[in-house]
Amino acid sequence: MFNPAPVVHRIPLGETVVCVIDDALQEPRRWVELARRHAASFVEAPDNAYPGVELPMPDSILAQCMAFFDQHLRREFGLRRTLHGHAKLALATHPEDRLQPFQVIPHVDTQRVEPGQAAMASVLYLFEDEGLGGTSFFRPRVDAARLSALFSDAARLDADAFCALHGLPRAYPSAGNAWFEHVLTLPPRWNRVIVYPGTIFHSSHVPQPARLQADPGTGRLTLNGFFTCTRALAS
């Protein structure tokens, strides 16, 4: 499934890094065909920051994703062991007028972690049209209390009310605003995977939402992984 000899590139991101691997899969087009065959099974996940539809992957696929992460990426982040995770094919489809509050602001991934654990995320781009956009990273401009209030409003208000209250456009996050500073945008590339701590604020970077399509063969298709790991013991 995965390239057995990948080259890992480290890109600084504040106090951590984002790891980038090109040519991640040995046969990426088979994954696009798989997604096309199962296009009718993609569903929109409720209460999710992802702006589109998803297809959960079986345990056999997750096991390969975790093995690749363990072998080539875990140590880049000072992690000791991968405990569990999940993987899914995802297809961004929402036009801007369908975006919900949690989709117009950067987010962190919500897998639960205990003390001494870390939440990691990966995105593998399975589309050739780089104009469909990559992934952006942000840091908060405000303190934890104001962030908590912002997310509380996102949970209770509809999109129009939320955006009006906080002076935010109903649009994919791109540049910074009063709440978040834009730090980095990583461009997509066919068969590229990026890996980063899920606790960093991030968002899909979609510069041209009108070009999003529901066809996995031509749309913004990705293979997304989420891993819960233990941190390495301090020396």
Side-chain angles (χ1 to χ4, degrees):
M1 174 177 171
F2 283 99
N3 182 346
V7 177
V8 180
H9 300 279
R10 295 165 52 91
I11 298 175
L13 183 62
E15 297 180 355
T16 186
V17 297
V18 179
C19 287
V20 179
I21 294 174
D22 289 320
D23 302 316
L25 295 171
Q26 294 189 86
E27 298 180 276
R29 295 195 187 280
R30 292 184 62 183
W31 284 85
V32 177
E33 290 308 311
L34 171 72
R36 296 189 78 165
R37 290 198 303 272
H38 295 277
S41 298
F42 280 72
V43 295
E44 195 166 328
D47 303 320
N48 194 331
Y50 188 75
V53 291
E54 305 171 346
L55 180 66
M57 293 289 94
D59 289 345
S60 58
I61 298 300
L62 172 62
Q64 294 187 60
C65 294
M66 289 177 63
F68 183 77
F69 176 83
D70 270 345
Q71 183 175 359
H72 301 291
L73 292 153
R74 173 171 47 87
R75 291 180 181 83
E76 300 285 348
F77 297 94
L79 303 174
R80 184 182 183 193
R81 186 160 61 96
T82 305
L83 301 174
H84 53 79
H86 63 280
K88 60 189 179 183
L89 286 170
L91 186 62
T93 56
H94 286 6
E96 290 182 309
D97 62 5
R98 283 198 60 200
L99 294 177
Q100 298 306 305
F102 281 111
Q103 296 163 347
V104 303
I105 54 177
H107 66 279
V108 296
D109 297 322
T110 56
Q111 61 259 49
R112 185 173 180 177
V113 295
E114 304 295 336
Q117 296 179 353
M120 301 299 299
S122 65
V123 179
L124 201 165
Y125 304 111
L126 290 169
F127 55 91
E128 296 183 273
D129 182 357
E130 296 182 7
L132 295 176
T135 302
S136 290
F137 297 90
F138 303 81
R139 67 168 61 98
R141 295 185 187 271
V142 300
D143 60 26
R146 291 188 65 193
L147 275 183
S148 179
L150 179 72
F151 294 134
S152 177
D153 288 342
R156 70 182 180 85
L157 298 174
D158 66 33
D160 288 337
F162 175 77
C163 292
L165 177 64
H166 294 293
L168 295 169
R170 193 169 184 179
Y172 285 91
S174 54
N177 54 41
W179 297 90
F180 294 95
E181 175 188 357
H182 173 259
V183 178
L184 173 70
T185 294
L186 286 178
R189 182 175 294 172
W190 168 252
N191 201 20
R192 163 180 286 177
V193 64
I194 66 170
V195 182
Y196 52 91
T199 49
I200 295 175
F201 283 96
H202 59 277
S203 174
S204 300
H205 175 66
V206 182
Q208 301 178 69
R211 296 178 60 188
L212 296 176
Q213 302 179 44
D215 181 354
T218 54
R220 193 183 183 280
L221 178 69
T222 57
L223 174 62
N224 298 356
F226 304 89
F227 314 104
T228 299
C229 310
T230 57
R231 298 186 184 277
L233 298 176
S235 58

